[in-house]
C-alpha cells in the first residue's frame, strides 16, 4: 500500500500540477494558496488574458526577466481577489522560491507561510519573508507518481 501524502506534500503536488499549465518556457511555476487545509486559489506563470503566450511568440525579456508573464503567485493572489476569497493567514505552496516582487505581494496579501521545494536565484525574498515573520519551509521534491489501484477498489465493493 502506498504512503498517504502529508498535507504539505499534497499541496506541493497540486502546485506541481498547476505549473503544467504555465506558458513561459523560461520557468514553469505553480502556486496554490491554502487556508484551513482548503485550496483557496491556484496560479501558474502565464500571459495576461487575451495576450499571446511566450511559447507561441517567444518571451519578452527585459533585464533578463520575461515581462510578458504574470508569475504564479501573482495569478493566485489575483484569482482569489477576483472571487472574493480572503487569503490573510494562508499558506502559499510554490514550486519555486518566489522572486522578490512576488514575495512582497505574498507578504502584503497576508500570507504567513511559504512552502517550496526549489530555490530561486538572485532574490531578496528570504530577507523580506524573515522581516515580515513569514515562515519558509523547504521540502524535498514530492514524488510525481500517482498510483491508482482500481483493481483492489473494484473488488472491495
Amino acid at each position: 500500500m502506498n504512503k498517504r501524502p502529508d498535507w504539505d506534500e499534497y499541496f506541493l503536488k497540486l502546485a506541481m500540477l498547476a505549473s503544467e499549465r504555465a506558458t513561459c518556457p523560461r520557468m514553469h511555476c505553480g502556486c496554490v494558496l491554502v487556508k484551513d487545509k482548503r485550496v483557496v486559489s491556484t496560479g501558474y506563470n502565464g500571459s495576461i488574458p487575451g495576450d499571446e503566450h511566450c511559447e507561441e511568440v517567444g518571451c519578452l525579456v527585459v533585464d533578463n526577466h520575461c515581462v510578458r508573464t504574470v508569475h504564479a503567485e501573482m495569478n493566485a493572489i489575483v484569482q482569489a481577489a477576483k472571487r472574493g476569497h480572503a487569503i490573510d493567514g494562508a499558506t502559499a505552496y510554490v514550486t519555486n522560491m518566489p522572486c522578490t516582487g512576488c514575495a512582497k505581494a505574498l507578504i502584503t496579501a497576508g500570507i504567513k507561510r511559504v512552502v517550496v521545494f526549489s530555490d530561486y536565484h538572485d532574490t531578496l525574498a528570504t530577507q523580506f519573508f524573515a522581516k515580515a515573520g513569514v515562515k519558509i519551509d523547504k521540502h524535498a521534491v514530492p514524488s510525481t507518481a500517482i498510483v491508482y489501484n482500481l483493481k483492489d477498489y473494484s473488488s472491495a465493493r
Side-chain angles (χ1 to χ4, degrees), residues 101-118:
C102 286
K104 293 188 296 184
L106 290 168
I107 292 164
T108 304
I111 299 300
K112 297 300 180 200
R113 181 173 174 242
V114 175
V115 181
V116 297
F117 59 78
S118 174

Side-chain angles (χ1 to χ4, degrees), residues 30-58:
C31 176
V32 177
L33 300 180
V34 175
K35 192 166 183 180
D36 301 323
K37 296 182 183 171
R38 301 285 184 252
V39 173
V40 177
S41 182
T42 66
Y44 54 86
N45 289 3
S47 299
I48 60 172
D51 197 9
E52 298 168 306
H53 296 288
C54 297
E55 62 188 12
E56 298 165 350
V57 297

Side-chain angles (χ1 to χ4, degrees), residues 88-126:
D88 189 40
T91 297
Y93 290 86
V94 193
T95 55
N96 304 81
M97 179 61 80
C99 70
T100 304
C102 286
K104 293 188 296 184
L106 290 168
I107 292 164
T108 304
I111 299 300
K112 297 300 180 200
R113 181 173 174 242
V114 175
V115 181
V116 297
F117 59 78
S118 174
D119 288 327
Y120 184 87
H121 63 286
D122 194 26
T123 181
L124 297 173
T126 53

